[in-house]
Amino acid sequence: MKRAYNFGAGPSAIPTEVLEIAQKELLDYKESGISIMEASHRSKLYDSVHTSAIKHIRELYKLPDDFEVLFLQGGASMQFAMVPMNLYKGGCVQYVNTGVWSKKAIKEAKIQGITPQIVATSEASNFDSIPKINFDDDCDYTYITSNNTIYGTQYKEFPRTSSPLVVDASSDLFSYTIDWDRVDMLFGGAQKNAGLSGITIVIIRKNLLNRVKDSVPTMLRYKTYAESNSLFNTPPVFSIYILNLVLEWIESKGGIEAIDRLNKAKAKILYDTIDNSQGFYMCHAKKDSRSLMNVSFNIKNKNSQLETELLKEAETANMIGLKGHRSIGGLRASIYNAMTLEGVEALAKLMQDFAKKHA
Ligand SMILES: *Cc1c(COP(=O)(O)O)cnc(C)c1O
């Protein structure tokens, strides 16, 4: 069997240990004679998975009691619409525009007739950094994207805001500890750092649940999910099952603190390789905004011929998913929780050898 080093941005690598458990349990889950995929979402069998996933999220994130953990569908993209639907009260809303995903969220607020204030943006420099932001106003909410998957930029610290802070953490879920004093809602699709697509995790402070107007459809209210333990209708059972296995895997590695240390070591190897290449490789992100999850880079003078060649060499060496997003080109190594140190070291070695050959 061949397992590639998967540097894809999403869907992305899942720990091999998790896939092996899923494989072993696929036909006969815990001696029930059925697959978890075939289990009723109202059964005891499934309930233990559902409850365990929520418990692990609470424990790993050290979540205070006044937060709810909700499981939704529709991807992070549906949250772009649900956030204003549930949190807008007729006042102002503030967005920080750090790239494609922020823009999509801003667009959804506009569709609802809201005029968002863009309090900061790095658009003029093609989103190469996290802008410095000052929030003064008391707005209905403030919205940021913690990790910008395409450009490889990431907040090192969440801003302090006087209005509730909403964070799209789709591409850095469960990769660092969170200061919940600063955050009121955090969401993300699971397929980048927490398992499969089909499940969106929403963590929300309870006092925000009752803002929603009666005109909002039932399935689009956070309240509906909070009041039904996210079992109002059939949840994506298999995605939640894999999420639970991923969370147990994080726990077995020593929790989020340990994962964070490992992620920092992994990212350092690649950024050092870029910084020590005498300009052969160039990082898209400015130094103080570099992401620990996505390393986006070019070869000098945006030499697309060499970039294609490097991609080919990587593929031959069993490393896939390194092509950069079409909006900025170049290469991108996504090194989420599931990417091993060994995989990152192999890529760094390949990059160093390639630079030597073509310098
Ligand atoms: C991938 C991504 C999304 C979109 O996620 P979907 O689940 O496909 O809707 C949103 N925000 C960020 C930061 C992402 O990386």
Side-chain angles (χ1 to χ4, degrees):
M1 190 197 55
K2 163 182 150 184
R3 286 276 294 160
Y5 291 125
N6 181 3
F7 291 94
S12 36
I14 294 174
T16 303
E17 297 97 309
V18 165
L19 294 174
E20 279 169 348
I21 296 171
Q23 181 183 46
K24 213 166 68 196
E25 293 181 337
L26 193 69
L27 297 185
D28 179 10
Y29 179 67
K30 298 212 189 292
E31 295 180 6
S32 63
I34 59 171
S35 170
I36 193 66
M37 283 190 269
E38 303 169 290
S40 161
H41 61 293
R42 309 281 176 207
S43 65
K44 269 202 188 124
L45 200 61
Y46 174 68
D47 181 66
S48 64
V49 172
H50 193 88
T51 308
S52 167
I54 294 173
K55 183 173 145 261
H56 281 115
I57 292 174
R58 289 198 163 279
E59 287 173 0
L60 286 169
Y61 259 154
K62 300 188 174 60
L63 208 59
D65 287 341
D66 61 331
F67 281 86
E68 287 280 358
V69 175
L70 312 176
F71 293 151
L72 280 75
Q73 302 186 54
S77 299
M78 197 164 85
Q79 294 313 304
F80 300 161
M82 278 183 76
V83 166
M85 260 180 209
N86 281 265
L87 303 185
Y88 177 60
K89 293 196 295 183
C92 52
V93 301
Q94 312 182 108
Y95 282 74
V96 179
N97 178 12
T98 47
V100 163
W101 299 115
S102 313
K103 278 190 179 175
K104 289 192 179 191
I106 290 164
K107 192 171 163 201
E108 291 296 326
K110 286 183 179 164
I111 287 174
Q112 291 172 49
I114 302 168
T115 308
Q117 297 176 1
I118 312 302
V119 286
T121 181
S122 45
E123 188 160 19
S125 50
N126 200 11
F127 303 114
D128 64 353
S129 56
I130 301 295
K132 298 273 171 287
I133 318 149
N134 277 314
F135 306 103
D136 315 310
D137 304 308
D138 256 324
C139 283
D140 291 348
Y141 64 87
T142 296
Y143 182 105
I144 64 170
T145 310
S146 55
N147 183 69
N148 297 279
T149 324
I150 294 171
Y151 318 89
T153 66
Q154 187 178 29
Y155 285 78
K156 299 293 153 204
E157 185 178 50
F158 290 160
R160 251 182 223 291
T161 56
S162 48
S163 44
L165 182 67
V166 177
V167 182
D168 174 0
S170 290
S171 51
D172 60 3
L173 279 173
F174 311 119
S175 66
Y176 49 83
T177 58
I178 286 174
D179 177 359
W180 293 101
D181 282 345
R182 293 193 182 192
V183 178
D184 297 271
M185 175 178 159
L186 182 133
F187 69 88
Q191 70 271 22
K192 287 174 183 131
N193 220 0
L196 300 189
S197 61
I199 157 99
T200 309
I201 299 153
V202 170
I203 298 172
I204 184 167
R205 206 183 284 276
K206 285 178 183 164
N207 66 3
L208 294 177
L209 293 169
N210 286 321
R211 283 190 182 189
V212 68
K213 292 187 199 71
D214 291 343
S215 57
V216 171
T218 312
M219 285 298 288
L220 297 175
R221 302 178 194 176
Y222 295 127
K223 207 170 131 171
T224 302
Y225 296 81
E227 286 172 350
S228 61
N229 188 29
S230 301
L231 289 163
F232 181 79
N233 72 333
T234 319
V237 167
F238 196 68
S239 296
I240 294 172
Y241 163 75
I242 296 289
L243 167 68
N244 184 51
L245 291 181
V246 169
L247 296 167
E248 284 175 352
W249 175 83
I250 294 174
E251 194 175 45
S252 77
K253 297 283 163 193
I256 291 181
E257 292 85 350
I259 286 276
D260 186 22
R261 277 195 297 277
L262 184 61
N263 285 338
K264 283 181 176 135
K266 278 151 49 184
K268 185 173 185 313
I269 292 171
L270 291 187
Y271 287 122
D272 281 352
T273 297
I274 292 169
D275 290 343
N276 297 333
S277 70
Q278 268 101 41
F280 185 80
Y281 297 113
M282 287 159 355
C283 208
H284 181 75
K286 284 201 177 131
K287 248 183 191 164
D288 63 353
S289 300
R290 286 175 171 180
S291 168
L292 298 180
M293 298 282 104
N294 311 95
V295 179
S296 294
F297 63 99
N298 284 91
I299 292 179
K300 72 175 166 205
N301 306 322
K302 306 213 167 171
N303 186 328
S304 61
Q305 205 180 323
L306 280 183
E307 287 171 353
T308 307
E309 208 169 306
L310 178 56
L311 282 176
K312 256 198 229 132
E313 279 196 21
E315 227 157 271
T316 308
N318 211 19
M319 297 175 215
I320 65 151
L322 286 160
K323 197 170 166 48
H325 190 269
R326 60 189 181 281
S327 60
I328 63 167
L331 294 98
R332 169 175 53 175
S334 296
I335 48 174
Y336 299 122
N337 289 351
M339 174 51 66
T340 57
L341 186 64
E342 187 199 5
V344 171
E345 281 167 348
L347 175 61
K349 173 82 171 49
L350 183 101
M351 286 169 65
Q352 287 156 16
D353 291 347
F354 189 85
K356 251 186 234 143
K357 209 163 51 182
H358 296 279

